[in-house]
Short mmCIF file of all heavy atoms in Angstrom, two decimals:
data_model
loop_
_atom_site.label_atom_id
_atom_site.label_comp_id
_atom_site.label_asym_id
_atom_site.label_seq_id
_atom_site.Cartn_x
_atom_site.Cartn_y
_atom_site.Cartn_z
N ALA A 945 -29.85 -8.27 1.38
CA ALA A 945 -28.80 -7.63 0.66
C ALA A 945 -28.08 -8.65 -0.16
O ALA A 945 -28.35 -9.87 -0.04
CB ALA A 945 -27.77 -7.19 1.78
N THR A 969 -15.69 14.17 -5.61
CA THR A 969 -15.78 14.21 -7.03
C THR A 969 -15.86 12.86 -7.61
O THR A 969 -16.65 12.44 -8.40
CB THR A 969 -14.64 14.99 -7.71
OG1 THR A 969 -14.57 16.25 -6.99
CG2 THR A 969 -14.91 15.39 -9.08
N CYS A 980 -25.79 4.15 -12.21
CA CYS A 980 -24.46 4.95 -12.21
C CYS A 980 -23.22 4.08 -12.48
O CYS A 980 -22.14 4.47 -12.59
CB CYS A 980 -24.29 5.46 -10.69
SG CYS A 980 -25.70 6.48 -10.16
N GLY A 1001 -5.58 12.46 4.42
CA GLY A 1001 -6.20 11.60 3.46
C GLY A 1001 -7.73 11.28 3.76
O GLY A 1001 -8.15 11.54 4.83
N THR A 1016 -13.44 -0.92 -14.55
CA THR A 1016 -13.63 0.10 -15.43
C THR A 1016 -14.06 1.36 -14.66
O THR A 1016 -13.61 2.43 -14.89
CB THR A 1016 -14.89 -0.33 -16.34
OG1 THR A 1016 -14.51 -1.52 -16.98
CG2 THR A 1016 -15.13 0.67 -17.40
N GLU A 1039 -5.91 -4.77 1.04
CA GLU A 1039 -5.11 -5.98 0.54
C GLU A 1039 -6.20 -7.02 0.22
O GLU A 1039 -7.00 -7.22 0.89
CB GLU A 1039 -4.17 -6.59 1.60
CG GLU A 1039 -3.11 -5.63 2.16
CD GLU A 1039 -2.11 -5.29 1.09
OE1 GLU A 1039 -1.88 -6.09 0.18
OE2 GLU A 1039 -1.51 -4.14 1.05
N PHE A 1052 -0.18 5.39 -18.19
CA PHE A 1052 -0.03 5.74 -19.69
C PHE A 1052 -0.27 7.25 -19.87
O PHE A 1052 0.16 7.65 -20.96
CB PHE A 1052 -0.95 4.93 -20.39
CG PHE A 1052 -0.57 3.47 -20.40
CD1 PHE A 1052 -1.18 2.51 -19.73
CD2 PHE A 1052 0.79 2.94 -20.92
CE1 PHE A 1052 -0.96 1.13 -19.59
CE2 PHE A 1052 1.08 1.62 -20.86
CZ PHE A 1052 0.30 0.73 -20.20
N ASP A 1082 0.35 1.05 -7.92
CA ASP A 1082 0.29 0.30 -9.05
C ASP A 1082 -1.13 -0.48 -9.12
O ASP A 1082 -1.90 -0.64 -10.04
CB ASP A 1082 1.36 -0.67 -9.25
CG ASP A 1082 1.39 -1.44 -10.63
OD1 ASP A 1082 1.21 -0.82 -11.63
OD2 ASP A 1082 1.43 -2.62 -10.62
N GLY A 1085 -6.24 -3.96 -3.98
CA GLY A 1085 -6.91 -5.34 -3.74
C GLY A 1085 -8.35 -5.23 -3.86
O GLY A 1085 -8.89 -4.06 -3.77
N ASN A 1095 -30.17 -2.00 4.52
CA ASN A 1095 -31.06 -0.85 4.54
C ASN A 1095 -31.90 -0.66 5.81
O ASN A 1095 -32.14 -1.71 6.45
CB ASN A 1095 -31.93 -0.84 3.23
CG ASN A 1095 -33.05 -1.87 3.21
OD1 ASN A 1095 -33.85 -1.86 3.99
ND2 ASN A 1095 -32.69 -2.90 2.61
N GLY A 1122 -15.51 0.52 7.14
CA GLY A 1122 -15.86 -0.55 6.27
C GLY A 1122 -17.26 -0.40 5.62
O GLY A 1122 -17.65 -1.30 4.76
N VAL A 1123 -17.93 0.82 5.80
CA VAL A 1123 -19.25 0.90 5.10
C VAL A 1123 -19.37 2.40 4.49
O VAL A 1123 -18.66 3.35 4.98
CB VAL A 1123 -20.44 0.68 6.25
CG1 VAL A 1123 -20.52 -0.67 6.62
CG2 VAL A 1123 -20.30 1.76 7.33
N GLY A 1144 -40.02 -1.90 -20.26
CA GLY A 1144 -38.53 -1.27 -20.28
C GLY A 1144 -38.34 -0.55 -19.04
O GLY A 1144 -37.03 -0.27 -18.87
N LEU A 1157 -50.36 7.49 -1.49
CA LEU A 1157 -51.19 6.38 -2.20
C LEU A 1157 -51.83 5.56 -1.18
O LEU A 1157 -52.36 4.40 -1.53
CB LEU A 1157 -50.24 5.70 -3.09
CG LEU A 1157 -49.51 6.50 -4.16
CD1 LEU A 1157 -48.56 5.60 -5.04
CD2 LEU A 1157 -50.45 7.12 -5.03
N LYS A 1158 -51.72 5.85 0.08
CA LYS A 1158 -52.23 4.92 1.12
C LYS A 1158 -53.61 4.41 0.91
O LYS A 1158 -53.93 3.24 1.14
CB LYS A 1158 -52.16 5.69 2.44
CG LYS A 1158 -50.77 5.71 3.15
CD LYS A 1158 -50.76 6.11 4.54
CE LYS A 1158 -51.16 7.67 4.78
NZ LYS A 1158 -50.11 8.43 5.06
N GLY A 1179 -21.18 -2.42 2.36
CA GLY A 1179 -19.98 -2.69 3.23
C GLY A 1179 -19.02 -3.57 2.59
O GLY A 1179 -19.37 -4.46 1.75
N ASP A 1183 -20.57 -8.17 8.32
CA ASP A 1183 -20.52 -7.82 9.70
C ASP A 1183 -20.37 -6.29 9.83
O ASP A 1183 -21.10 -5.72 10.71
CB ASP A 1183 -19.21 -8.41 10.28
CG ASP A 1183 -19.16 -8.33 11.71
OD1 ASP A 1183 -20.16 -8.64 12.39
OD2 ASP A 1183 -18.22 -7.97 12.31
N GLY A 1204 -41.37 12.21 16.53
CA GLY A 1204 -42.24 11.90 15.44
C GLY A 1204 -42.05 10.65 14.65
O GLY A 1204 -42.78 10.31 13.74
#
Side-chain angles (χ1 to χ4, degrees):
Chain A
T969 312
C980 310
T1016 309
E1039 298 295 329
F1052 295 109
D1082 188 51
N1095 66 78
V1123 295
L1157 302 178
K1158 284 192 287 254
D1183 194 43

